[in-house]
Amino acid sequence: MLKTVDIQSLSLSRGERVLFHGLSVRLPAGEAVALTGANGAGKTSLLRAVAGFIRPDAGTITFSGGPNAGPGLDGETLEPETARRDGVHLLGHLEGLKPTRTARQEFDFQTAWLGGTGAAREAAVARLSLKPLLDLETRKLSAGQKRRLSLARLIAAPRALWLLDEPLAPLDERWRTVAAELMTAHLASGGMILAAVHDPLPVPARNLDLGGLA
Amino acid sequence: MRAVRVLFGRELSLAWGGGGGPLLACGFMLCLTAILPLAAGGDPRVLAPAASGASWMALALASLLSLERLFERDLEDGALDLLALGPLPLEATVAIKAVAQWLATGLPLALAAPVAALALGQPAHLIGLTALAAAIGGLGFAFTGALGAALALGARRGGLLIAVVVLPLFIPPVVFGAGALTRAANGQDPASALALLAAYVLFAMVIAPVAGAAAIRNAQG
């Protein structure tokens, strides 16, 4: 079980452009970090680096946890591949939905693939009121409805680290409140959140500013 | 394993549903077969000796059709990120997608291949061998095709690039597969050519998932 993420003097670049140098941040269980910064400052790239999709130029991303982890104890360092495969959720701009498949087919696949159990899936569907949407093809869903489907995936397949890219952007007031409750519950159960945002996160979070364009 | 079953089910349903992948490939193959007599003339003395070769060429070209769908759509809509964060290593994901591709297009094409060969004048007793060789070769097409599809990820006009990358890799199975049929038609034992075909397929099954996964990681970064 993933308990802590430790990013040490990380440098990232995209093509020729250096996004940031020597970024360090520690994310222990139960805490959230809000990434802010101008468009193109590297918020999404940082999330993707933590998810393992972008190789950093320098620095390390360490995942730790395991049975010996507890208050004040990081536990063992985990093998990054393993830690990502059972401990990381990424919610990006793209929801990964196939336009011609029904929301139910896609939700069932995504949650089963990410390790969700039957009961948790039922609960997630109820929590985000997805019942009336499930039989629609996903191309008929609005951006906000797609995002609700993705939020349901986060709670249907419990994973410790949530990497969220503008999680609230397409949601209306009502669902922003629900999303905030989900995040609060996730943190209370020892989860971690690293979120790229322009508006403040609706949960207590440390702010990490990546600044403007380098 | 549950994850294997879950992914396999999705891939099969994506390949069969929406756009009729297998029917399209079979239809394309039969169209190619119908064009040959029009181009080369209807003389059975010309067509019959070329029947095995022509059906293998049609098989190789028809196997290209749905490759673009294999990874490109998943990259475009973000599903590839989800697949990478799943319980299986990317290598296994590539292998599962290739096997599903074989089931959805390779096997239907293997059933259509004897029809095409027969129509061009191949002796009727070779029907079974034609289907068998096409089924084995189709597995090789699926794996090398998956490798090509992964290498072409993110390139504009990726579909054309896939064809250019993959067709050279399709040459050995075409040589061995058509060779097996020619040997059988001449009364020789086709086993040696089939064994070489199977060896190439096994080689592709080992290399393609590893190389394909590396190409996908590169495209994701």
Side-chain angles (χ1 to χ4, degrees), chain A residues 10-210:
Chain A
L10 195 74
S11 300
L12 276 188
S13 58
R14 302 300 282 149
E16 297 288 296
R17 199 161 63 82
V18 176
L19 295 172
F20 48 78
H21 256 311
L23 179 98
S24 296
V25 60
R26 211 181 111 81
L27 189 57
E31 288 197 16
V33 166
L35 297 169
T36 53
N39 293 127
K43 303 187 291 293
T44 299
S45 297
L46 176 58
L47 294 179
R48 292 184 67 78
V50 175
F53 300 145
I54 298 180
R55 194 171 304 203
D57 298 338
T60 54
I61 302 170
T62 317
F63 300 93
S64 44
N68 294 331
L73 289 171
D74 282 356
E76 297 94 56
T77 302
L78 303 172
E79 209 270 310
E81 285 264 309
T82 326
R84 285 172 179 133
R85 256 185 241 139
D86 58 29
V88 173
H89 265 307
L90 175 68
L91 196 158
H93 299 294
L94 300 166
E95 324 269 356
L97 301 170
K98 290 277 173 285
T100 54
R101 303 226 305 161
T102 64
R104 183 191 312 281
Q105 284 175 312
E106 287 296 85
F107 180 70
D108 284 354
F109 163 70
Q110 293 187 345
T111 50
W113 173 246
L114 295 168
T117 58
R121 281 152 76 178
E122 295 292 319
V125 168
R127 188 77 175 83
L128 288 137
S129 312
L130 295 176
K131 269 264 160 56
L133 305 179
L134 284 180
D135 289 317
L136 295 175
E137 287 184 351
T138 62
R139 67 195 162 96
K140 294 185 179 143
L141 301 180
S142 74
Q145 290 171 328
K146 285 181 186 170
R147 184 50 54 93
R148 271 158 63 197
L149 208 58
S150 295
L151 287 172
R153 147 170 51 104
L154 297 186
I155 52 173
R159 292 182 163 208
L161 175 60
W162 289 5
L163 303 172
L164 311 175
D165 199 349
E166 293 288 351
L168 305 180
L171 298 174
D172 64 25
E173 254 345 287
R174 173 186 171 202
W175 294 110
R176 282 184 186 212
T177 316
V178 173
E181 289 164 10
L182 296 179
M183 288 186 214
T184 310
H186 180 61
L187 293 175
S189 68
M192 291 158 280
I193 296 178
L194 185 60
V197 288
H198 287 296
D199 309 316
L201 261 190
V203 291
R206 275 179 295 146
N207 190 42
L208 180 66
D209 189 15
L210 295 181

Side-chain angles (χ1 to χ4, degrees), chain B residues 2-215:
Chain B
R2 178 164 172 256
V4 174
R5 219 177 50 234
V6 166
L7 181 61
F8 201 63
R10 169 197 194 248
E11 293 303 324
L12 276 185
S13 124
L14 279 176
W16 280 94
L23 286 178
L24 194 71
C26 290
F28 181 69
M29 182 180 175
L30 295 176
C31 285
L32 283 177
T33 313
I35 284 177
L36 184 68
L38 298 175
D43 189 343
R45 282 170 304 177
V46 176
L47 290 179
S52 312
S55 70
W56 266 84
M57 207 175 90
L59 193 65
L61 292 178
S63 303
L64 286 175
L65 278 189
S66 44
L67 288 177
E68 191 180 7
R69 201 204 51 230
L70 209 51
F71 299 113
E72 187 72 38
R73 300 238 179 113
D74 283 340
L75 182 74
E76 280 169 3
D77 65 19
L80 209 50
D81 292 350
L82 220 63
L83 293 180
L85 287 174
L88 298 177
L90 219 43
E91 285 80 4
T93 302
V94 174
I96 291 169
K97 274 176 165 280
V99 173
Q101 167 81 3
W102 176 60
L103 281 182
T105 45
L107 283 186
L109 282 175
L111 294 178
V115 179
L118 209 58
L120 291 174
Q122 194 190 54
H125 68 271
L126 293 179
I127 287 180
L129 183 65
T130 306
L132 175 70
I136 300 174
L139 192 56
F141 289 157
F143 272 83
T144 45
L147 171 58
L151 284 172
L153 269 187
R156 270 172 224 277
R157 315 280 304 150
L160 289 175
L161 187 59
I162 292 174
V164 175
V165 169
V166 160
L167 274 177
L169 298 173
F170 279 10
I171 290 173
V174 168
V175 170
F176 300 137
L181 295 176
T182 312
R183 288 178 66 87
N186 295 337
Q188 293 166 303
D189 184 7
S192 59
L194 278 182
L196 281 172
L197 177 64
Y200 183 82
V201 171
L202 288 176
F203 175 72
M205 290 176 76
V206 173
I207 298 290
V210 180

